[in-house]
Amino acid sequence: MGGGVMFGIDFSKFPDVFERILLPAIGETLYMSVVSTLLAFLIGLVPAILLVLSAQDGLKPNKPLFIALDITVNTLRSFPFIILIIVLFPLTRLIVGTSIGTSAAIVPLTIGAAPFIARLIESALKEVDKGIIEAARSFGSSNFQIIFKVMFVEALPGIVASITLTLIVIIGFSAMAGAVGGGGLGSVAINYGYQRFRPDIMLYTVVILIIMVQIFQSLGNFIYKITKK
């Protein structure tokens, strides 16, 4: 077929579509994903540390605290994200002033990802060799020092991998947030690709999301190899 048309899609219009529609949406998706990942990491860090400390074989076992945190994290992780967005509308409106838009989507994205990354960080910390922890304890290190100066240093590659995985999951969540006015590539795919019957835009958003995931995964693997050394 001529004129840049293939499979019923006019690819000659891509530069214009990219500049007017896709480029702003890419910026919104990156903004939502990166900010949500950072906030989810900071929030998830607290329960992750407490779970490691209070576990039966932890530095400061506390069964009631561990059970309470374990149930809370598991409950939040089991929430379907699209339902979580709707449930958190009042909280989102309270924090941001609105329940729709790119900034508003950061609230459910963060809360949805925080328990997920908490589990990943907990697993990374638990994989640290017990011998190293006992050696640090024998030198008189406090629990705080063991957590942040020993376990975090040893678990850094695993934590980097956890952040990378969380970022990729949030990119997928951000596309889902577009269904309820969250903005970004998901919103473009729904508003233009689906509702306006534009298969070209639907295809472009899918390809761009795949490329973004590949880029972040490659970057995460690179940082992982550096920290592993």
Side-chain angles (χ1 to χ4, degrees), residues 31 88-108 181:
Y31 166 64
L88 292 175
F89 271 165
L91 178 63
T92 302
R93 196 177 294 113
L94 179 66
I95 295 174
V96 185
T98 178
S99 58
I100 59 173
T102 308
S103 295
I106 291 175
V107 176

Side-chain angles (χ1 to χ4, degrees), residues 8-227:
I9 297 176
D10 187 357
F11 290 100
S12 65
K13 295 181 180 179
F14 174 75
D16 179 59
V17 170
F18 182 81
E19 184 178 353
R20 289 189 304 106
I21 301 172
L22 296 175
L23 189 58
I26 291 171
E28 291 174 354
T29 296
L30 288 173
Y31 166 64
M32 285 189 291
S33 302
V34 173
V35 173
S36 298
T37 300
L38 291 174
L39 292 175
F41 172 74
L42 293 175
I43 294 172
L45 193 59
V46 176
I49 292 172
L50 291 176
L51 282 166
V52 171
L53 280 172
S54 61
Q56 187 174 354
D57 58 346
L59 297 172
K60 198 171 183 180
N62 187 322
K63 189 174 181 179
L65 176 61
F66 179 83
I67 292 174
L69 284 172
D70 188 58
I71 293 173
T72 301
V73 170
N74 285 340
T75 301
L76 291 173
R77 281 180 63 197
S78 65
F79 253 84
F81 182 66
I82 194 69
I83 296 176
L84 185 66
I85 295 176
I86 297 170
V87 169
L88 292 175
F89 271 165
L91 178 63
T92 302
R93 196 177 294 113
L94 179 66
I95 295 174
V96 185
T98 178
S99 58
I100 59 173
T102 308
S103 295
I106 291 175
V107 176
L109 284 171
T110 300
I111 294 175
F116 177 75
I117 197 170
R119 278 300 187 200
L120 293 176
I121 295 173
E122 177 198 7
S123 298
L125 292 174
K126 283 186 173 180
E127 288 177 3
V128 175
D129 190 344
K130 298 295 183 183
I132 297 175
I133 297 173
E134 290 302 321
R137 197 198 295 269
S138 67
F139 280 107
S141 298
S142 64
N143 288 340
F144 181 88
Q145 290 173 324
I146 292 174
I147 285 285
F148 290 98
K149 293 187 177 181
V150 178
M151 296 180 73
F152 261 88
V153 173
E154 291 294 322
L156 189 57
I159 292 173
V160 169
S162 300
I163 294 173
T164 303
L165 179 58
T166 303
L167 177 56
I168 290 171
V169 169
I170 286 181
I171 289 174
F173 280 174
S174 71
M176 200 184 304
V180 288
L185 289 167
S187 181
V188 167
I190 293 168
N191 295 335
Y192 288 88
Y194 177 70
Q195 294 180 351
R196 301 187 187 183
F197 304 102
R198 292 285 302 273
D200 56 332
I201 293 181
M202 184 71 79
L203 175 63
Y204 298 150
T205 54
V206 171
V207 171
I208 290 171
L209 285 169
I210 291 172
I211 292 173
M212 287 175 64
V213 168
Q214 291 296 326
I215 290 173
F216 282 122
Q217 185 64 65
S218 298
L219 181 61
N221 290 343
F222 175 73
I223 299 174
Y224 174 87
K225 289 178 182 178
I226 293 176
T227 56

